[in-house]
Structures are given as structure tokens and as C-alpha cells.
Amino acid sequence: QVQLVESGGGLVQPGGSLRLSCSASRFTLDYYAIGWFRQAVGKEREGVSYVSSTPGSSSFYSDSVKGRFTISRDSAKNTVYLQMNSLKPEDTAVYYCASGPWGGFDSSEYDYWGQGTQVTVSS
């Protein structure tokens, strides 16, 4: 059974940074596109970034996080990271990683999801 596990969430002050991790067991992340989504209270799930499968991965970002977030792969660790810098209160949400064949910002493009990790940006 495919399991994606997110970690790295927490409470951070505005302007701070966090790095989220998405790992998997019995499932090679390199073979799939990996997306990061977030869902704030009372809002719909929003795609923020995704990376295409290897080889030759390409990275994509929503306008709301472009220039502040960076997605990357560590193949040796079978992990995908989301480095989040210059965090704002509006980045507060539960963050999910997901895997799918092609990627995209639409959640319907993904087959497997993690359980989510809470990110709270507040002073």
C-alpha cells in the first residue's frame, strides 16, 4: 500500500522559514510527479507547487508562492522537500503532498495523498 508522509510543519513567525518533507515507503517518488497542496480553514484545497517525474524534473509554482517556495527532490532519501521562505500569515494551512503520473495544480491529477502537516504563521 502506498503511503506518503509529510513532516516539518509547525509554528513560525511572519518572515520565517520552514522546510516540509514528503517521504514514502515501498514507493519510489522519482517515478511520479509530486505536488504540494494546502488547505486553510474554510477554503478549498489549493495547489502551490509540483515537480515532474525524473529524469529531467521541472518545477512549477503558483503565483501566490513563486519566489518564496522551492520544491526539490532527494532521490537517495526518496524524499521531496518544500522549502518555504518569507512566510506570511496567509500561508497558514494544512499542507499535503500527493503523487500522480503527470502533476498539475488540480488535485484530481493525483492518486495518493499524505495525511497533511499543519503550518501556522503567526506572531
Side-chain angles (χ1 to χ4, degrees):
Q1 184 176 351
V2 174
Q3 271 194 313
L4 300 178
V5 179
E6 303 95 337
S7 61
L11 173 64
V12 64
Q13 292 187 342
S17 298
L18 282 175
R19 188 178 75 164
L20 305 183
S21 300
C22 175
S23 60
S25 57
R26 297 189 295 275
F27 187 73
T28 302
L29 296 183
D30 278 357
Y31 298 160
Y32 301 90
I34 304 298
W36 283 97
F37 289 76
R38 66 186 181 186
Q39 188 164 20
V41 174
K43 294 189 176 181
E44 292 187 355
R45 191 167 294 189
E46 171 194 16
V48 297
S49 180
Y50 70 95
V51 60
S52 59
S53 60
T54 60
S57 290
S58 297
S59 304
F60 302 87
Y61 302 93
S62 68
D63 288 344
S64 61
V65 306
K66 195 173 297 181
R68 300 188 297 123
F69 291 10
T70 303
I71 192 170
S72 62
R73 291 184 181 272
D74 186 332
S75 300
K77 295 183 178 180
N78 199 31
T79 299
V80 172
Y81 300 103
L82 185 68
Q83 177 68 42
M84 306 187 297
N85 298 329
S86 302
L87 283 161
K88 306 174 181 180
E90 51 263 44
D91 294 317
T92 296
V94 177
Y95 283 71
Y96 301 88
C97 68
S99 66
W102 307 114
F105 291 111
D106 191 329
S107 59
S108 67
E109 300 287 348
Y110 297 85
D111 303 312
Y112 298 102
W113 293 79
Q115 82 290 348
T117 185
Q118 176 71 47
V119 171
T120 303
V121 184
S122 175
S123 55

